[in-house]
Amino acid sequence: MLPLDLARRLRDAGVLWQPEPGDRFTIDQESVAGEVFWISHLTIDMHVFQGQPVLGFNGTTEWALDSVTLDSALWLPREDQLREMLGDRLLALEAGSEAEAEAEAESDANAEAGSGWVVRTLDGRFRHDDAEAAYALALLAWLERDVP
């Protein structure tokens, strides 16, 4: 699961979310910290209320939530969604141990040798213990780059 700090950085870097069934999100408030929700037509779906998109909680008894505005929700993109956002910039996903020798040769600060996953893109190599986080780091490198 994508760490919240990376999800926040993606949001702040301008990644827009169009909620669809299967998407994961959390409500970025301490009172519900650690709770992850999935959009589904059965339990949580998108509504428009007074012109604003809201996520409606349908028949949930464990939460005293009817709905939350989209700007209160923090999207937790899945691995496939992150790959899609990287598009043609993505070159490969490699197991960390397989990429170890190459990383040492390149001495890339983002691709330290060791376990985990290495995402190779046109912008470099990005390592993390979690594949989704490695993809997010690669996407952030592209979104947060200095453009003249």
Side-chain angles (χ1 to χ4, degrees), residues 44-147:
I44 302 171
D45 60 5
M46 258 305 268
H47 303 285
V48 176
F49 181 71
Q50 296 181 349
Q52 184 172 4
V54 295
L55 297 166
F57 291 74
N58 301 322
T60 57
T61 56
E62 67 273 26
W63 292 100
L65 294 172
D66 289 327
S67 62
V68 295
T69 58
L70 198 54
D71 61 352
S72 298
L74 179 63
W75 181 32
L76 303 169
R78 299 182 312 266
E79 185 176 333
D80 62 302
Q81 293 168 318
L82 292 162
R83 278 194 313 265
E84 185 177 326
M85 285 185 271
L86 280 166
D88 292 341
R89 304 195 74 69
L90 176 62
L91 300 175
L93 172 68
E94 302 166 336
S97 58
E98 293 174 15
E100 186 173 322
E102 254 185 85
E104 286 177 3
E106 292 179 19
S107 67
D108 188 330
N110 290 316
E112 298 171 9
S115 63
W117 299 97
V118 175
V119 171
R120 285 192 301 122
T121 70
L122 297 176
D123 304 304
R125 302 165 58 81
F126 305 89
R127 187 201 140 327
H128 198 278
D129 291 338
D130 179 79
E132 286 180 347
Y135 281 116
L137 290 170
L139 182 59
L140 284 163
W142 181 56
L143 294 172
E144 295 174 343
R145 72 194 184 285
D146 290 329
V147 179

Side-chain angles (χ1 to χ4, degrees), residues 20-23 25 37-46 55-58:
E20 296 182 9
D23 285 356
F25 70 95
F37 303 95
W38 281 263
I39 295 181
S40 163
H41 292 301
L42 297 176
T43 57
I44 302 171
D45 60 5
M46 258 305 268
L55 297 166
F57 291 74
N58 301 322

